[in-house]
Amino acid sequence: MSERRGAELGAALPKDSGGGVADEARGDRRLRDTDPVGDQPPKIEVDDEERPARVLTGLPEQLVATVAFAVAILVLWQVFRPLPQGSQYYLVVFLSGTLPLVFIAYRSGVRRLDRGGGPRALDWILAAVTLVVCLYPLLPMTIGSGGGGYDAFLDRQGQFDPVDVGMGSVLLVLVLEACRRTTGWVLPVVCLVFVGYGYYGGFLPQHWTIAHAGLDFGQIIDALYNSGSGFYGTPLDVAATYIVLFTLYGTVLEFSGAAQFFVDLSVAAFRRSGGAAGRTAVASGFLLGTVSGSGTATAVTVGAVTWPILRRAGYPPEQAGGMLAAAGVGAILSPPTLGVAAFIVAEYLDVSYVTVLGWAMIPTVLYYLGILLAVEIDARRLGTRPVEIGGASGWRLLARFGYHFLSLIAIVVLLLIGVSATRAVVYATALAFVLAFLDSRTRARASSPRKVFQALGSGVRSALPVVAVCTSAGVITAMTTKTGLGAQLASLLVRAARTVSDNHTVVLACTVVLAAIALAVLGLAVPVTASFIIGWAIIGPALLALEVPAPAAAMFVFYYSVLSEVTPPTALAAVGAAAITGARTVPTMWQALKYALPAFLVPIVFVLSGPGEYLLGRGPVLGVLWTTAAACVGVAALAAATGGWILGVGPARPLARVFAAVGGLALLYLEPGALVVGVAALSVAVGITLVSRRRTT
């Protein structure tokens, strides 16, 4: 998932699990001697929304590893033997075990306080205070007029006494500080704006749409500290159940050598053709993304292996980096492990996770189809060279290491037969661990209690930024719920669209465009999970008010929250890919945007036309088939327009590209009249290109 891969992943790769293919892919000695830029990428530690963690040693490392392992056991225990006191009690315990670790594992960002690399006295104090205020609702002793145990704490809901307010206030500050340490200043500032709105909103002129009755500070802390929509709301619930479990699963897959096998298989699958290098990078991103769910980490990992191949084929660094970034971001959109926000979609809409996976299938196909077509166009336009890659063949790799697919298949099968997502991923994790014994190179690790201990603890440590983000997001959801801000802003959005026209279709189109822009801008500033939560609270009601089905509205918000990963000027996946290829960062971002362009249009199709919902697999079989076919042709037309080449025909001149763009947009509208226009425009583009080619010949 987008936030769920830790800093440990970075650019470090597991050892080759596939018969030497990866070693060959890293480039030969001669290339390394003559051009060190690509074959020895900088050792970067990067994730989609996370600052690098400290490198701990000694007592701090032992303490963090032990607590993280204990939390992993708690999470697994909760799956099969839930704590009898209820889910909120479990979330209190979970947060008490994870949030203090952030202050030990992550730097403060203040140079004077971070001297020496390890945690300083202030970090230990913050960790200790965090532990106390997190455990306060469970403490059985009386503290002034507060305390008294969990039941007494719940009984005071809505009428907090000063001790409760004080403890909640301290926890609010610590949650925002933990979020700042792991993701930067923007999200904490956004949370403070929402808190300020909750407190000062009552002072706004009451005829303003966003005005409300006002909340005193005690009511705000009560909403955050002792309700189901605050710190212990849906975002943290998702992090403490699904996300940590899938993080553990990803860690065990790397532990077993599966991640490297997926990359090696992609490298071996395309032997010798002009477009083989690009196809290898895209296929690697897809296969690794099915278990990674992290755009930046996937781009970096795949890039470390495939950049030497791309460079030898003749790809410029910027285009190679853009391709890697776009392929990596597909990890957040690729079943069976979508980004964190997908689990929140399932919780908000009260559907199973397998249902959300079904909605994501066709959009994922369209996303990677657009990238593959762009790759094929670039191969022809740039005149890329075939690259010989040694090592085992794809069939040999499948025969020897194909068992790594079993755990992925197990997740899907278990979900389909009705097993809960949490149990399905635990069973798949156990299967992946057992499969590690089938390879002599991973058998020693799997047999070592110390290595298993480290792997489980590493999974929890990778999720620490997710915990900080999701707990902070609870501030936004609580304030939105308590003040009714979501409905008020949705009303403003629809009202702005109605200033253009009273026609329902025009209003919907304007609302969708405004919503897309708002989500794209929001995603530049805050992590994907927070972007989805804010977007759903504000934009979701506007789309629902215009009779857009809830699944289409939710997936629209989800996709635009994710696509900030390739949107300049803060396209983190492109930044990571540029670090691997040695490219200029901003041009790499624009190349990534070019490759991912169809992905920005497909979500609009979900909500703009009735048949668009068929692309989520919701509708009659024939409807799903014809809309998928039309969308595929539309994506191909857009790829031709952006790449300047019509596959099977030749290079497209500007006029042909304009007609191809018009045809692609019309085809994606999926209405009968638009389909006719789209086919006609695309035919004109092909005709112009054919005539131009004959004249040139």
Side-chain angles (χ1 to χ4, degrees):
M1 16 220 53
S2 175
E3 299 104 327
R4 79 183 156 71
R5 309 299 301 153
E8 297 92 347
L9 185 55
L13 294 172
K15 292 182 179 179
D16 177 20
S17 65
V21 175
D23 293 335
E24 173 67 18
R26 291 184 180 93
D28 56 28
R29 176 66 62 185
R30 287 172 298 172
L31 280 171
R32 190 174 295 127
D33 290 341
T34 58
D35 185 359
V37 174
D39 289 341
Q40 291 185 338
K43 181 75 171 181
I44 59 175
E45 292 182 346
V46 58
D47 194 15
D48 301 60
E49 297 162 5
E50 172 186 349
R51 294 180 170 184
R54 285 184 172 119
V55 178
L56 299 176
T57 58
L59 178 61
E61 167 61 24
Q62 295 174 7
L63 177 63
V64 170
T66 302
V67 175
F69 177 79
V71 172
I73 298 302
L74 170 67
V75 172
L76 294 171
W77 180 273
Q78 179 71 8
V79 173
F80 298 99
R81 292 285 189 273
L83 298 179
Q85 295 89 344
S87 62
Q88 186 166 325
Y89 186 95
Y90 163 67
L91 294 178
V92 172
V93 176
F94 176 82
L95 192 64
S96 302
T98 52
L99 195 63
L101 298 185
V102 173
F103 297 100
I104 301 174
Y106 285 83
R107 302 179 184 90
S108 68
V110 179
R111 186 172 302 177
R112 182 177 298 178
L113 299 178
D114 290 333
R115 290 175 180 171
R120 311 292 288 178
L122 178 62
D123 299 316
W124 290 107
I125 292 172
L126 291 175
V129 173
T130 303
L131 179 64
V132 171
V133 296
C134 285
L135 285 176
Y136 168 75
L138 311 183
L139 297 178
M141 73 281 294
T142 300
I143 303 176
S145 57
Y150 184 61
D151 291 338
F153 180 78
L154 293 182
D155 289 341
R156 292 194 297 274
Q157 187 174 32
Q159 47 185 355
F160 260 18
D161 64 38
V163 176
D164 297 326
V165 173
M167 290 290 187
S169 302
V170 174
L171 182 56
L172 172 62
V173 173
L174 291 169
V175 165
L176 296 182
E177 168 61 11
C179 185
R180 184 196 66 81
R181 289 190 177 213
T182 54
T183 65
W185 276 103
V186 176
L187 182 56
V189 170
V190 171
C191 291
L192 288 175
V193 169
F194 273 83
V195 171
Y197 170 73
Y199 186 78
Y200 291 106
F203 296 101
L204 296 174
Q206 290 302 301
H207 64 276
W208 287 17
T209 303
I210 60 172
H212 61 85
L215 303 171
D216 62 38
F217 194 70
Q219 290 176 307
I220 291 174
I221 297 302
D222 179 74
L224 297 177
Y225 201 25
N226 197 358
S227 76
S229 63
F231 297 140
Y232 308 112
T234 298
L236 181 62
D237 190 19
V238 168
T241 51
Y242 301 107
I243 306 308
V244 174
L245 290 173
F246 274 91
T247 304
L248 292 172
Y249 173 56
T251 302
V252 172
L253 278 175
E254 283 188 64
F255 180 83
S256 68
Q260 187 60 48
F261 160 69
F262 293 145
V263 176
D264 290 346
L265 180 63
S266 301
V267 173
F270 304 104
R271 281 297 174 183
R272 183 177 176 84
S273 70
R279 295 176 205 157
T280 297
V282 176
S284 299
F286 171 71
L287 287 175
L288 189 61
T290 58
V291 297
S292 167
S294 169
T296 306
T298 301
V300 168
T301 304
V302 171
V305 176
T306 59
W307 163 232
I309 306 173
L310 293 169
R311 190 191 59 192
R312 288 156 64 187
Y315 281 92
E318 286 77 17
Q319 285 186 288
M323 180 193 308
L324 292 169
V329 167
I332 315 176
L333 309 173
S334 300
T337 54
L338 303 173
V340 176
F343 294 90
I344 300 179
V345 169
E347 290 294 315
Y348 280 174
L349 299 188
D350 195 22
V351 298
S352 67
Y353 179 61
V354 71
T355 301
V356 179
L357 291 184
W359 296 342
M361 292 295 291
I362 297 174
T364 300
V365 171
L366 294 173
Y367 181 80
Y368 277 102
L369 173 65
I371 298 177
L372 281 172
L373 290 172
V375 165
E376 294 298 323
I377 289 171
D378 280 352
R380 289 156 176 76
R381 188 168 53 85
L382 299 173
T384 56
R385 301 179 295 273
V387 177
E388 281 288 354
I389 302 173
S393 68
W395 292 112
R396 183 178 175 186
L397 283 172
L398 276 174
R400 177 64 183 87
F401 300 103
Y403 58 80
H404 284 302
F405 283 111
L406 291 177
S407 63
L408 284 174
I409 296 171
I411 287 182
V412 176
V413 171
L414 290 171
L415 289 173
L416 289 176
I417 64 176
V419 177
S420 68
T422 52
R423 293 198 175 198
V425 72
V426 171
Y427 295 144
T429 303
L431 177 58
F433 176 75
V434 171
L435 294 176
F437 287 92
L438 298 181
D439 188 349
S440 59
R441 287 166 291 188
T442 56
R443 189 178 302 127
R445 281 185 290 180
S447 303
S448 168
R450 185 172 67 88
K451 295 290 186 183
V452 174
F453 171 85
Q454 291 174 342
L456 290 177
S458 174
V460 172
R461 292 167 72 169
S462 298
L464 291 179
V466 186
V467 173
V469 168
C470 288
T471 311
S472 299
V475 176
I476 297 169
T477 56
M479 292 298 95
T480 303
T481 302
K482 199 77 174 176
T483 62
L485 178 64
Q488 294 162 351
L489 289 179
S491 174
L492 280 176
L493 187 62
V494 174
R495 195 181 306 167
R498 283 185 175 147
T499 59
V500 177
S501 172
D502 288 332
N503 181 276
H504 180 270
T505 302
V506 175
V507 171
L508 178 58
C510 292
T511 303
V512 167
V513 171
L514 291 173
I517 294 172
L519 286 168
V521 172
L522 181 64
L524 299 179
V526 299
V528 170
T529 302
S531 177
F532 172 80
I533 291 170
I534 299 171
W536 181 247
I538 296 171
I539 293 168
L543 297 176
L544 296 176
L546 293 172
E547 301 177 357
V548 174
M555 296 304 284
F556 172 86
V557 176
F558 169 68
Y559 275 92
Y560 269 98
S561 300
V562 168
L563 290 173
S564 62
E565 294 290 309
V566 290
T567 305
T570 58
L572 295 180
V575 172
I580 290 293
T581 64
R584 294 169 296 164
T585 302
V586 174
T588 302
M589 291 180 182
W590 289 113
Q591 289 295 326
L593 186 62
K594 180 196 77 172
Y595 282 106
L597 179 62
F600 284 87
L601 300 175
V602 170
I604 294 178
V605 180
F606 300 160
V607 299
L608 199 55
S609 65
E613 195 179 2
Y614 295 167
L615 293 180
L616 298 176
R618 304 182 76 246
V621 175
L622 287 178
V624 171
L625 291 176
W626 78 257
T627 52
T628 302
C632 287
V633 177
V635 167
L638 291 174
T642 56
W645 196 289
I646 298 180
L647 292 173
V649 181
R653 295 198 173 183
L655 183 60
R657 295 173 70 173
V658 169
F659 274 102
V662 171
L665 294 173
L667 285 166
L668 286 178
Y669 188 56
L670 297 179
E671 293 289 352
L675 293 179
V676 173
V677 172
V679 171
L682 186 56
S683 300
V684 172
V686 172
I688 293 173
T689 304
L690 283 172
V691 171
S692 174
R693 181 179 178 182
R694 288 174 182 172
R695 287 178 178 174
T696 303
T697 302

